[in-house]
Amino acid sequence: MRGTPKTISLPRRLIIDLMHASMGVPFVSLSRSLDIGPLQEARAGAMAPAGWAAMFVKAFALVASNEPVLRTVYAKWPWPSLYELPKSVASVAIARVEGGEECVIPQRIVAPEAMTLAELDAEIRRAKTAPIDEIPMFRKIMRVTRLPLPLRRLSWAIGLNFGRQRGNWFGSFAVSSVAAYGGGELHPITPGPFIVSYGMVGPGQTIHVVIRWDHRVTDAAPIARVLTRLEQVLNTEIAAELRAAGSKPIRAVWT
């Protein structure tokens, strides 16, 4: 059978490099359905509710502000060690269409716990629609992705294996979801150390959440505690911010 050779695009080359960097990371997963009734009520009444990605990014970062392990990465150089970052750095998987091709590019957000939901949501929405050259992180990624393979491998090795550079390149946690396209239980992989995925809101106002993490950094018991705390933060701090942002106007009904 004679097919058609196709050139690998830059966005697809990026994913190939990302998968290569993720090889060998000892990931473990924990999933749970979270009860988000109070959050759903607050979001339904909000004038302009933030997207789910923004809410999960901020909620996880708020949990991480009191859980140093969620800001800890595994570094190989100059010798194997754990490196604690001073603040969270999120890496959000952004789905885009470039040159007629669907692709995913990670957007880096520093200290999301200190941002408002509106600011986070605007940052994520802008990353979905603005030209690649207008997004600093995208420019940085594509500049490296254009390099020849040996130089790309070297750049990724430096970004992955020095603790300080992990925060600059890959962040302390990632968020990825396909809920906007119909849901499903997604188990994505990254170079680590933490990646959060969520599904669609289901019956009983629950949402299924999966956390995958580098087992070299922590164990299952702390992550189980993190899921409990994540549910609490979504229903308290995040819901309260949605309410404070303004509610939908109530229409008068004439009888």
Side-chain angles (χ1 to χ4, degrees):
M1 184 181 296
R2 191 181 295 270
T4 303
K6 302 180 73 173
T7 301
I8 298 176
S9 65
L10 278 179
R12 188 49 42 192
R13 184 188 290 181
L14 168 64
I15 296 301
I16 293 170
D17 289 346
L18 182 66
M19 294 300 98
H20 181 271
S22 303
M23 292 170 59
V25 179
F27 276 115
V28 181
S29 299
L30 182 63
S31 63
R32 184 185 298 172
S33 291
L34 306 185
D35 182 349
I36 55 165
L39 175 65
Q40 272 289 81
E41 182 182 346
R43 194 168 189 269
M47 175 75 76
W52 286 100
M55 291 191 292
F56 270 96
V57 166
K58 181 162 185 178
F60 193 88
L62 285 170
V63 175
S65 64
N66 294 311
E67 293 280 355
V69 71
L70 299 182
R71 292 179 275 108
T72 300
V73 301
Y74 179 83
K76 292 182 180 179
W77 296 346
W79 48 77
S81 63
L82 297 178
Y83 186 90
E84 182 184 319
L85 298 171
K87 53 191 172 185
S88 291
V89 182
S91 179
V92 185
I94 302 295
R96 297 175 55 103
V97 177
E98 290 296 323
E101 177 186 12
E102 293 187 75
C103 61
V104 175
I105 306 177
Q107 168 65 320
R108 178 174 170 269
I109 303 177
V110 180
E113 68 276 10
M115 300 172 66
T116 67
L117 284 175
E119 289 170 339
L120 277 170
D121 195 56
E123 186 81 7
I124 292 170
R125 291 182 186 276
R126 180 170 175 267
K128 291 179 179 180
T129 57
I132 281 182
D133 289 343
E134 293 183 10
I135 309 296
M137 184 61 183
F138 290 178
R139 288 201 307 268
K140 181 179 180 180
I141 290 172
M142 290 306 168
R143 187 163 57 244
V144 172
T145 306
R146 288 187 179 95
L147 295 173
L149 181 61
L151 292 180
R152 293 206 317 274
R153 291 288 186 259
L154 176 61
S155 297
W156 279 74
I158 292 171
L160 281 169
N161 294 311
F162 285 107
R164 182 176 179 180
Q165 293 304 322
R166 283 295 293 265
N168 294 332
W169 281 94
F170 301 100
S172 56
F173 73 97
V175 172
S176 180
S177 174
V178 292
Y181 304 95
E185 188 171 302
L186 180 66
H187 290 258
I189 63 172
T190 70
F194 302 94
I195 183 164
V196 181
S197 180
Y198 56 90
M200 299 175 66
V201 178
Q205 295 186 319
T206 61
I207 190 167
H208 197 73
V209 176
V210 178
I211 297 183
R212 303 193 77 203
W213 74 95
D214 185 340
H215 209 339
R216 294 172 297 187
V217 174
T218 191
D219 302 313
I223 299 301
R225 183 176 66 245
V226 164
L227 279 169
T228 299
R229 180 65 183 135
L230 185 65
E231 180 181 77
Q232 294 170 346
V233 169
L234 287 168
N235 287 322
T236 53
E237 285 101 319
I238 302 301
E241 186 172 345
L242 288 173
R243 295 188 191 99
S247 58
K248 294 178 180 178
I250 300 175
R251 296 181 179 179
V253 178
W254 294 91
T255 58

